[in-house]
Amino acid sequence: MLRRTLLALGLATALGGSALAQAPVTMRISHPVPTGHHIHKLIEMFAAEAKSATGGQVDVQIFPAEQAAKAAENHPSVARGAVEAAASVNFQWGNTIPEMNVTVIPFYLTELDKIRNWFDSPAAKILEAKLEERGVKNLMWLYTTRSTIFTSNRAPLRMPDDFKGVKIRGLNRLADTAFTAVGAAPSAMAAPEVYQALQSGVLDAALTDVSAAVSRRFYEVQKHGVVTPYFMVWYHVYVNPKWWASLKPEHRDALSKAARKTELAAFDITEKTAADAEKILKDRGMNIHIQTDAERKAWIDAMQKPVIDEFLKQSKDGDKLLEAIRKL
């Protein structure tokens, strides 16, 4: 009787130890976008790929819409290990890593072929090294948009002179250099406040991703929209380096492969999202104008150099990064 009891206890302990050894690794990802956003859907795709590639041994838990942390708190939360991973828009790092602002230089990185060449490039490695200096390891770059819409009410903003005296919602100090160069008056404003500001006339115009113009219902308060590949945006996912180092090599490899698959899938999803948004805006009554080559050249001539000059003033490795992007 005693022997059977000891054998049973031994078997239970062995099974318990085996279950403990095979317990899934938890990877919590915090991000600020709502569940309907295409970036959230891409992160869901990554989670499914990670589960499949690891046989369920990595459990990716997603916390969208600032459920786990505010957008500005994601970096410190990951660096401290409060969560294993987070996603941020690249230019949110502008104050701590000025080089991360490079994509807001007008028309500098908006050609789709160049954006596709980003992964593992010297340009990407420059920014990834900067991120590691700030206590996080980059896992993937999710192409978010290159389709910007400039909305307005009185008249479309087609040429640089059309911006003179226009009160426009700004993006950040660097990006706003382009607007002051053409005589506009940029104003910093949180995204949820922009609709009311446009409706009341506090702002005359705004710029945003073309799909965001749909979700924010700008078509209700703005008559015109000029669509242009003005700048590019990444949502990038980064992890806690100590957590990453603690993973089994096969799990790190599986997550890296899942990340690359998701990065590549982002192109078709993002381009389709933009095309669908243009149609929705037209259907809802907005006068949509696709920028011509001549108009784009005029914008580049008037707006690009002032932003590059300011970028180089702010960033230590700006020259090296710009050269690496030119070679993509």
Side-chain angles (χ1 to χ4, degrees):
M1 181 69 176
L2 178 59
R3 184 171 180 273
R4 286 199 300 270
T5 302
L6 289 173
L7 285 172
L9 287 171
L11 180 61
T13 301
L15 290 174
S18 175
L20 182 63
Q22 296 177 15
V25 173
T26 299
M27 180 183 184
R28 295 164 295 178
I29 303 179
S30 170
H31 71 70
V33 302
T35 55
H37 197 286
H38 65 286
I39 290 300
H40 175 77
K41 297 182 186 304
L42 283 163
I43 294 174
E44 285 185 320
M45 180 187 298
F46 166 76
E49 287 290 336
K51 182 177 181 179
S52 175
T54 63
Q57 285 300 295
V58 177
D59 178 24
V60 179
Q61 301 173 4
I62 307 170
F63 295 86
E66 300 187 332
Q67 290 177 6
K70 296 291 185 184
E73 296 169 357
N74 275 325
H75 162 228
S77 294
V78 173
R80 291 194 310 264
V83 293
E84 290 74 33
S88 296
V89 65
N90 64 284
F91 57 78
Q92 188 176 324
W93 293 84
N95 291 332
T96 53
I97 308 176
E99 289 83 359
M100 289 287 276
N101 262 332
V102 69
T103 68
V104 306
I105 297 174
F107 306 100
Y108 201 82
L109 181 56
T110 55
E111 297 172 31
L112 202 54
D113 288 345
K114 282 197 167 191
I115 300 170
R116 287 184 183 275
N117 290 337
W118 175 263
F119 311 111
D120 301 322
S121 69
K125 290 185 185 301
I126 290 170
L127 295 187
E128 287 164 0
K130 297 281 182 185
L131 289 163
E132 292 202 17
E133 290 173 5
R134 293 291 173 175
V136 298
K137 175 180 174 55
N138 203 71
L139 179 62
M140 57 182 164
W141 299 95
L142 298 179
Y143 166 51
T144 306
T145 183
R146 67 186 181 112
S147 296
T148 305
I149 184 168
F150 286 77
T151 70
S152 55
N153 217 15
R154 290 187 300 231
L157 302 172
R158 294 192 180 186
M159 297 298 286
D161 283 349
D162 296 332
F163 284 86
K164 288 182 179 177
V166 171
K167 297 174 291 184
I168 189 168
R169 187 242 177 154
L171 186 65
N172 62 23
R173 177 185 160 196
L174 178 65
D176 292 355
T177 305
F179 302 138
T180 55
V182 292
S187 178
M189 188 173 294
E193 300 171 9
V194 176
Y195 180 97
Q196 181 62 37
L198 291 170
Q199 186 178 48
S200 65
V202 170
L203 291 178
D204 302 316
L207 78 157
T208 190
D209 167 59
V210 67
S211 60
V214 174
S215 61
R216 294 174 186 166
R217 308 191 322 278
F218 281 10
Y219 52 84
E220 294 179 351
V221 291
Q222 299 271 267
K223 293 179 182 177
H224 306 284
V226 174
V227 177
T228 171
Y230 183 72
F231 62 72
M232 197 274 293
V233 175
W234 297 112
Y235 254 100
H236 68 113
V237 177
Y238 47 94
V239 300
N240 178 279
K242 290 182 180 178
W243 173 81
W244 183 257
S246 74
L247 296 176
K248 294 178 181 180
E250 58 266 33
H251 288 169
R252 288 197 298 269
D253 183 61
L255 290 175
S256 295
K257 288 178 179 177
R260 180 51 49 88
K261 189 171 183 177
T262 308
E263 286 174 330
L264 297 177
F267 286 92
D268 287 345
I269 291 172
T270 294
E271 289 292 300
K272 184 179 186 304
T273 298
D276 290 347
E278 284 182 29
K279 183 178 185 305
I280 292 170
L281 291 171
K282 288 179 182 177
D283 290 346
R284 297 189 180 176
M286 185 176 272
N287 173 29
I288 297 296
H289 172 73
I290 306 301
Q291 190 177 56
T292 67
D293 290 343
E295 291 165 351
R296 187 172 309 153
K297 184 180 184 304
W299 284 37
I300 291 171
D301 291 345
M303 295 174 161
Q304 191 181 78
K305 187 177 184 303
V307 182
I308 289 176
D309 290 345
E310 184 62 27
F311 175 74
L312 292 174
K313 288 178 187 176
Q314 295 178 10
S315 55
K316 177 183 175 183
D317 293 314
D319 271 326
K320 184 169 33 171
L321 181 57
L322 292 179
E323 178 62 21
I325 289 174
R326 278 194 288 270
K327 293 179 179 179
L328 284 174

